[in-house]
Amino acid sequence: MPTLGADRGLWEAALTQSDGATMFRSRPVFASRVAVAAVVIAMSVTPLAVTVAASAAPFTTPVARTFTGDYSGGNFAQWPSVQNKSYNGPGTGYVPTYSASIVPDATYGQAARFEVRSGDAPSFGEGERSEVAAGNDTGGFEGQARWYRFATKFDSTFPQNHASLGWGLTNQWHQDVSIGSPPVGWYVSQRNGYWSLVVNKQSLPGADLETLSIFDTPLDVGSWHDVKMQINWSASDATGWIKLWLNGVRQTFVNGADTYFVRTLIPGTATVYYKEGYYREQMQPTGVVFHAGFRCATDEGAL
């Protein structure tokens, strides 16, 4: 599997204090300031990625919603970054094109439509893509559990033989450096006609150990997949774990358990940030994916 971390820096985040709580804010930077290290000892920048110094205090939040990206405003303003062939910047400044637009939806009110055509590769990284990205408030530091809720739907024209065509993913929690594949993500390239929850185990960013496809479900084009997850973020296989509900039903994983223990962070990194859309290897077919309702919280009741 290729390295999926070819993002280049247009954003950095800084720790601020507001009402006594640790917050993150983003601001643009120049690509020449990007720095990547296998073992993180200082802040380095990728789009929406923050590598926090080893001495930094963990991100702490009272029981609450930490991020909402449900497109309810009819635009991309909730998302700190939009990335596609013609744009790489804040959602507040994005003017919709075929690559990413907002459409009405009978189930969720508003949904984002992401389209990737052959050749839709941005200048800053490998692969063809149309995505949005959030910040570190959609991840967790070592030992922190977070709840997630989102919905994904594949257009009726979406290629059913994606595994034969090449790699592709629709949702991911990307590590806070630009090296390596995301530790946790939803892929369309593990089995033809299926959407798969995948863990990319690494000993350090980019040092692959094993790719685990821990849950598969048919693409079921034209229908929403309503997903709820709880993830305990850890670089330890004994401490990290994932729980999953699909369309309101608790799921079991390929090992028969309803809680899958595995490292969910990459050793040498501090946290992750969430991205959704459609990101893939260069290929001919056009692919359209819809997303709606994303939110992240420290407690299930805050979703």
Side-chain angles (χ1 to χ4, degrees):
M1 179 173 294
T3 297
L4 301 182
D7 296 337
R8 301 297 167 85
L10 287 182
W11 297 90
E12 70 179 6
L15 289 169
T16 61
Q17 295 291 326
S18 175
D19 299 328
T22 303
M23 306 285 289
F24 283 89
R25 59 183 173 85
S26 298
R27 62 187 179 89
V29 296
F30 294 103
S32 60
R33 294 180 57 188
V34 177
V36 176
V39 178
V40 178
I41 58 174
M43 180 171 284
S44 61
V45 181
T46 64
L48 276 289
V50 179
T51 302
V52 180
S55 59
F59 176 74
T60 56
T61 304
V63 173
R65 179 87 59 87
T66 63
F67 182 82
T68 300
D70 60 5
Y71 310 101
S72 57
N75 53 45
F76 291 88
Q78 295 168 316
W79 293 89
S81 177
V82 177
Q83 298 177 318
N84 55 52
K85 64 171 291 186
S86 58
Y87 186 84
N88 186 20
T92 52
Y94 177 66
V95 177
T97 65
Y98 78 82
S99 296
S101 59
I102 305 298
V103 296
D105 181 77
T107 302
Y108 295 98
Q110 303 281 357
R113 180 185 185 275
F114 297 88
E115 179 174 337
V116 176
R117 302 174 183 176
S118 180
D120 281 358
S123 60
F124 58 83
E126 67 181 70
E128 301 170 339
R129 77 172 84 200
S130 179
E131 296 180 293
V132 291
N136 288 353
D137 48 2
T138 57
F141 287 84
E142 177 68 36
Q144 291 184 325
R146 293 289 182 264
W147 286 86
Y148 302 94
R149 187 78 179 263
F150 57 89
T152 298
K153 180 174 69 173
F154 299 93
D155 189 75
S156 60
T157 61
F158 193 83
Q160 295 280 332
N161 61 335
H162 211 298
S164 299
L165 297 172
W167 58 262
L169 66 164
T170 57
N171 313 67
Q172 59 171 300
W173 286 265
H174 196 288
Q175 64 277 21
D176 57 6
V177 297
S178 64
I179 297 176
S181 297
V184 181
W186 284 90
Y187 285 71
V188 290
S189 49
Q190 296 301 112
R191 296 174 59 189
N192 282 332
Y194 282 80
W195 193 41
S196 303
L197 180 56
V198 172
V199 175
N200 293 301
K201 289 181 62 174
Q202 296 158 75
S203 58
L204 287 172
D208 297 327
L209 294 174
E210 190 176 7
T211 297
L212 301 172
S213 183
I214 64 174
F215 177 81
D216 299 314
T217 189
L219 289 177
D220 196 14
V221 297
S223 297
W224 282 106
H225 300 269
D226 189 297
V227 177
K228 182 170 68 175
M229 299 174 67
Q230 187 185 23
I231 303 178
N232 194 51
W233 296 105
S234 176
S236 165
D237 289 326
T239 305
W241 47 258
I242 300 173
K243 299 177 182 179
L244 171 66
W245 290 257
L246 180 62
N247 298 324
V249 179
R250 180 77 177 268
Q251 301 296 310
T252 57
F253 297 98
V254 293
N255 62 357
D258 60 10
T259 301
Y260 197 99
F261 283 87
V262 67
R263 67 187 65 183
T264 49
L265 294 175
I266 302 173
T269 67
T271 188
V272 292
Y273 62 98
Y274 177 77
K275 305 180 75 174
E276 67 181 26
Y278 182 30
Y279 179 33
R280 71 183 195 181
E281 185 174 344
Q282 293 187 8
M283 61 184 65
Q284 286 301 313
T286 294
V288 176
V289 182
F290 299 87
H291 293 281
F294 179 80
R295 50 255 202 216
C296 172
T298 60
D299 182 80
E300 182 180 13
L303 286 176

